[in-house]
């Protein structure tokens, strides 16, 4: 059906919405694709639904092509399955929880691992039933702390989520590989550049994981890449670990008076004064900074921990959050923040400005005052035999030549410090550079965590009960619409890639004569008969300037103008992206535009 602007439910706006920060948000609202209903919650208008439908169709085709089968779950779910996996608690404040009239707990699903697992458990019982892969394109709810940038981070959004079920690890690897390939095809067809980056398993547990990031400055994710092809989410970057050092000859550690040296800078200056090195000056990298952090567990419990890192590196709280899981008593989203004065007061073993490596510090060096009883983790650069200047847990004192593995130990090693441009890629493929991106998709080897929690077992070929292994895979469908708008616009409006544009051609009739409108209406019908999707601006009393402005704002790839040229038997065919215009004989217009549209 030709979309006639005289009747299409659309009002374009000249002004940007006041709450919009990024171009995609401004333009999608101004061009009449979406309207805000509440923070992070949007209504879709006819043009928006067209684009959304095209994105969904591409995603659906590629999922079907790897043999995934479409299902559809409710968004409103009972508490029990999420209780079984502990996510009712672990999801924290991000979960929309509600009650029915009988006071039973419900939630609006943020993602559907539990329901898919239970469905397969319900119906399947043998290895012969596997592998199976199911998906849905469905609305998700997350009470995001900072809904932002319109559709980019919503509280209600559409996701394609799929789940693979395999009998063994090799099967999971194959399912994962099929998804990876399908995702690359999806983003290629959408015309959305993505970089697959290594990611951390995060709150969901599991092992192998990659995110598909669309590089753009408005992205919230920082990732790094090397010229040699390494790419990883900053959270997932691993440090090139220096070799262990033989400490058999290392001199004994020595506590020195270092008054008024509560910062790394003052400490380094003091060290160079009171104990200068012969070979080179001390630098911040020679010091071990013991950073006190507070972890808020999903249960609300607050735990204090200490991380020892080289003094020249800042702790990156997001890296800590992503990598802390195994060191705390419960899984789930953990919030990490610097410890407060109050926290420190509760632990008198921590002497502010002079904090040492805590619990494990050798009592022979420091006496028992050094003990803090707190979880103590170190950066991977703190290898056995490395020697440090660090706090002595005594006011105004530091210890010199404290040797890791000899004078102090640790409860674990954690990737926790900032990754810097120039750091070596862990695979030896060169120095890293930083970039920003939006996460468009995520593929994830979930493993047996959910199957175990929910009892999804099948009989294997020997008749023994075996726990199924799963993968979980997501594409942000509404986010893709926003990312496409973000990366395809200019000063005048949206510039949709053909595959997702709301129409193939935007036909504009300008002038007063009825013959112009008659010819344009006929041309619109002919376009449609040729299989083209048409927006036709048939508004009788609207100026050409307004019509052209709207056409550019809406962003259909080809604009055809029926106007003054009609007297000479020509129409103007304009490329929205390049602005190039060409006069084409009226009788050739359909074939010409069909060829442009590839139809
Ligand atoms: P993010 O790190 O951006 O919060 P996530 O890691 O929580 O995303 P997943 O749980 O992996 O996201 O969800 C799969 C996909 O759903 C993401 O890759 C993203 O494209 C999309 N998505 C996630 N959260 C949102 C949101 N709040 N608004 C729109 N799309 C989202
Ligand atoms: Mg993710």
């Amino acid at each position: 059906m030709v979309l006639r602007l005289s009747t299409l439910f659309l009002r374009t706006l000249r002004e940007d919405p006041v709450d919009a920060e990024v171009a995609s948000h401004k333009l999608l609202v101004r061009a009449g694709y979406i309207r805000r209903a509440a923070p992070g919650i949007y209504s879709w208008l006819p043009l928006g639904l067209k684009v959304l439908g095209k994105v969904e169709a591409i995603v659906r085709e590629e999922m079907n092509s790897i043999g995934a089968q479409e299902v559809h779950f409710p968004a409103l779910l009972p508490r029990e399955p999420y209780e079984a996996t502990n996510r009712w608690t672990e999801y924290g404040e991000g979960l929309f929880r509600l009650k029915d009239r009988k006071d039973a707990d419900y939630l609006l699903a943020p993602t559907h691992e539990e329901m898919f697992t239970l469905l397969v458990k319900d119906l399947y019982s043998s290895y012969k039933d596997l592998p199976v892969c199911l998906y849905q394109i469905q609305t998700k709810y997350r009470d995001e702390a900072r809904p932002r940038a319109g559709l980019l981070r919503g509280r209600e959004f559409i996701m394609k989520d799929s789940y693979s079920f395999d009998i063994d690890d090799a099967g999971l690897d194959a399912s994962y590989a099929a998804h990876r390939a399908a995702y690359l095809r999806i983003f290629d067809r959408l015309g959305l550049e993505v970089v697959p980056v290594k990611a951390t398993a995060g709150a969901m547990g599991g092992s192998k994981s990659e995110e598909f990031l669309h590089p753009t400055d408005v992205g919230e994710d920082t990732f790094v890449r090397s010229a040699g092809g390494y790419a990883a989410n900053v959270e997932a970057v691993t440090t090139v670990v220096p070799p262990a050092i033989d400490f058999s000859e290392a001199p004994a550690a020595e506590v020195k008076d270092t008054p008024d040296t509560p910062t790394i800078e003052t400490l380094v200056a003091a060290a160079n004064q009171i104990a200068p090195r012969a070979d080179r000056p001390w630098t911040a990298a020679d010091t071990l900074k013991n950073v006190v952090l507070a972890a808020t567990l999903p249960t609300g419990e607050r735990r204090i921990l200490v991380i020892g890192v080289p003094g020249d590196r800042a702790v990156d709280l997001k890296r800590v959050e992503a990598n802390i899981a195994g060191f705390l008593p419960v899984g789930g989203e953990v919030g990490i923040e610097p410890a407060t004065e109050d926290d420190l007061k509760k632990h008198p073993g921590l002497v502010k400005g002079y904090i040492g490596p805590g619990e494990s510090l050798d009592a022979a060096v420091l006496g028992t005052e050094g003990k803090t009883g707190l979880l103590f983790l170190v950066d991977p650069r703190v290898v056995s035999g490395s020697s440090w200047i660090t706090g002595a847990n005594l006011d105004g004192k530091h210890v010199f030549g404290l040797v890791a593995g000899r004078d102090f130990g640790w409860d674990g090693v954690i990737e926790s410090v900032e990754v810097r441009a120039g750091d070596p890629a862990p695979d030896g493929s060169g120095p890293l550079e930083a970039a920003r991106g939006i996460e468009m998709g995520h593929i994830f080897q979930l493993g047996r965590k959910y199957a175990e929690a929910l009892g999804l077992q099948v009989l294997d070929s020997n008749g023994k009960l075996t726990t199924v292994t799963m993968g979980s895979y997501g594409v942000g469908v509404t986010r893709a619409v926003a990312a496409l708008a973000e990366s395809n616009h200019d000063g005048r409006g949206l510039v949709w890639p053909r595959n997702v544009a709301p129409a193939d051609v935007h036909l504009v009739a300008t002038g007063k004569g009825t013959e112009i409108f008659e010819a344009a209406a006929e041309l619109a019908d002919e376009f449609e008969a040729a299989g083209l999707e048409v927006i036709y601006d048939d508004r009788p009393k609207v100026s050409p300037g307004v019509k052209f402005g709207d056409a550019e704002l809406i962003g259909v790839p080809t604009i055809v103008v029926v106007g003054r040229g009609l007297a000479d038997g020509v129409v103007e065919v304009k490329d929205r992206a390049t602005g190039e215009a060409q006069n084409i004989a009226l009788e050739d217009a359909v074939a010409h535009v069909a060829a442009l549209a590839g139809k």
Side-chain angles (χ1 to χ4, degrees):
M1 204 189 63
V2 172
L3 295 179
R4 289 187 163 70
L5 285 194
S6 58
T7 52
L8 184 66
F9 188 64
L10 170 77
R11 286 288 172 270
T12 56
L13 310 175
R14 295 286 154 244
E15 300 291 322
D16 288 331
V18 284
D19 60 329
E21 295 158 23
V22 300
S24 59
H25 185 190
K26 292 176 189 168
L27 290 171
L28 287 170
V29 172
R30 277 186 46 207
Y33 286 76
I34 58 170
R35 295 291 291 170
R36 177 182 176 279
I41 304 179
Y42 290 85
S43 310
W44 290 78
L45 306 187
L47 288 182
L49 276 184
K50 290 260 175 209
V51 176
L52 184 62
K54 293 196 176 180
V55 173
E56 286 186 4
I58 288 174
V59 172
R60 191 170 271 124
E61 275 174 35
E62 293 300 337
M63 292 317 297
N64 293 345
S65 83
I66 60 168
Q69 301 174 57
E70 187 167 3
V71 296
H72 198 83
F73 280 95
L76 178 64
L77 297 174
R79 169 177 177 161
E80 288 70 28
Y82 286 76
E83 193 64 67
T85 57
N86 208 26
R87 284 214 293 178
W88 177 263
T89 310
E90 287 186 358
Y91 225 98
E93 294 188 312
L95 199 62
F96 278 106
R97 298 173 175 84
L98 59 163
K99 284 189 186 291
D100 71 3
R101 61 173 73 207
K102 293 183 181 138
D103 215 31
D105 284 317
Y106 282 79
L107 61 95
L108 294 175
T111 165
H112 276 78
E113 278 76 5
E114 286 81 355
M115 300 313 290
F116 277 82
T117 309
L118 289 173
L119 185 66
V120 172
K121 178 183 172 180
D122 239 7
L123 298 175
Y124 277 6
S125 56
S126 160
Y127 74 97
K128 291 184 194 148
D129 298 325
L130 302 180
V132 65
C133 180
L134 303 174
Y135 78 97
Q136 63 177 347
I137 296 177
Q138 200 248 14
T139 307
K140 301 283 189 257
Y141 296 86
R142 296 183 183 178
D143 197 358
E144 298 277 358
R146 287 170 296 114
R148 100 173 242 290
L151 300 174
L152 281 177
R153 182 172 297 284
R155 296 198 297 164
E156 177 185 280
F157 59 95
I158 298 173
M159 191 201 292
K160 183 287 298 174
D161 50 331
S162 41
Y163 305 86
S164 63
F165 300 83
D166 282 277
I167 189 76
D168 55 21
D169 294 351
L172 173 55
D173 281 341
S175 298
Y176 182 91
H179 270 88
R180 192 178 194 281
Y183 275 31
L184 290 174
R185 288 195 298 273
I186 287 170
F187 295 119
D188 183 49
R189 287 180 61 186
L190 289 176
L192 201 58
E193 183 201 352
V194 291
V195 183
V197 307
K198 288 184 183 49
T200 50
M204 302 256 257
S207 53
K208 196 170 175 189
S209 165
E210 282 166 287
E211 290 169 355
F212 294 76
L213 298 187
H214 173 56
T216 158
D217 289 343
V218 305
E220 286 181 277
D221 291 14
T222 309
F223 70 104
V224 292
R225 45 179 161 184
S226 73
Y230 175 85
N233 193 317
V234 162
E235 279 83 358
V237 177
T238 50
T239 302
V240 177
V241 181
I245 299 164
D246 174 17
F247 56 77
S248 54
E249 305 280 295
E254 206 183 324
V255 177
K256 292 185 193 290
D257 279 329
T258 51
D260 302 322
T261 57
T263 63
I264 296 294
E265 215 180 9
T266 50
L267 173 61
V268 170
N272 280 318
Q273 232 170 27
I274 61 174
R277 287 176 69 118
D279 53 345
R280 61 168 176 83
W282 295 109
T283 70
D286 298 313
T287 69
L288 182 71
K289 178 166 66 174
N290 298 292
V291 181
V292 188
L293 300 173
T296 306
L297 309 189
T299 53
E301 188 196 337
R302 191 173 171 89
R303 286 237 175 168
I304 306 303
L305 65 138
V306 182
I307 305 187
V309 305
D312 64 330
R313 298 250 170 188
V315 165
D316 177 337
L317 297 178
K318 284 181 101 175
R319 277 179 40 89
V320 180
E321 275 170 3
N323 295 305
I324 193 76
F327 301 109
L328 294 173
V330 287
E333 297 282 348
V334 173
I336 298 281
E337 59 185 4
T340 61
E341 292 283 337
D342 266 3
D343 293 323
L344 289 182
K345 275 192 205 129
K346 288 184 195 135
H347 298 275
L350 301 172
V351 183
K352 201 179 166 209
Y354 303 89
I355 296 169
E359 170 76 336
S360 326
L361 204 52
D362 189 338
V365 178
L366 292 179
T368 46
E369 301 96 312
K371 302 222 168 205
T372 63
L374 297 171
L375 178 67
F376 179 60
L377 305 174
V378 294
D379 180 77
R381 294 169 187 82
V382 184
V383 291
S384 172
S386 57
S387 171
W388 304 92
I389 302 176
T390 188
N393 276 340
L394 299 167
D395 196 37
K397 292 183 198 296
H398 281 91
V399 53
F400 285 59
L402 197 75
V403 173
R406 181 190 74 180
D407 304 324
F408 69 99
W410 43 89
D411 301 312
V413 176
I414 186 170
E415 293 287 354
S416 67
V417 296
E418 52 174 340
V419 176
R420 286 190 202 143
D423 282 351
D427 64 355
S429 60
L432 297 173
E433 60 169 56
R436 292 186 79 73
I438 308 174
E439 182 187 319
M440 302 311 310
H442 192 175
I443 55 176
F444 196 83
Q445 295 199 352
L446 213 51
R448 295 182 174 81
K449 176 178 164 174
Y450 285 81
E452 248 153 36
L454 297 165
L456 170 57
Q457 294 188 314
V458 296
L459 292 173
D460 70 11
S461 55
N462 301 315
K464 259 183 39 201
L465 274 177
T466 310
T467 301
V468 169
T469 184
M470 294 169 55
S472 139
Y473 317 88
V475 170
V477 174
T478 45
R479 183 177 281 185
V481 173
L484 282 163
E486 196 60 46
S487 294
N488 296 282
H489 72 271
D490 60 20
R492 295 189 299 274
L494 296 159
V495 188
W496 292 109
R498 276 218 179 264
N499 281 356
V500 298
D504 295 303
V505 53
H506 186 127
L507 180 61
V508 179
T510 63
K512 295 215 173 70
T514 51
E515 67 285 359
I516 284 178
F517 284 83
E518 274 161 18
E522 205 170 304
L523 186 56
D525 289 340
E526 286 171 23
F527 278 143
E528 194 180 48
L532 296 168
E533 291 176 89
V534 191
I535 294 176
Y536 169 33
D537 194 345
D538 61 339
R539 292 174 294 178
K541 281 180 190 132
V542 174
S543 76
V546 168
K547 288 188 172 185
F548 294 143
D550 279 347
E552 291 184 319
L553 183 60
I554 290 168
V556 170
T558 303
I559 299 169
V560 173
V561 184
V562 180
R564 235 179 290 147
L566 190 67
D568 305 320
V570 296
V571 296
E572 189 185 54
V573 178
K574 218 168 148 177
D575 185 295
R576 171 64 186 90
T578 63
E580 274 164 35
Q582 214 182 336
N583 281 335
I584 300 287
L586 179 60
E587 61 269 26
D588 299 335
V590 173
H592 183 81
V593 173
L596 290 176
K599 287 189 174 165

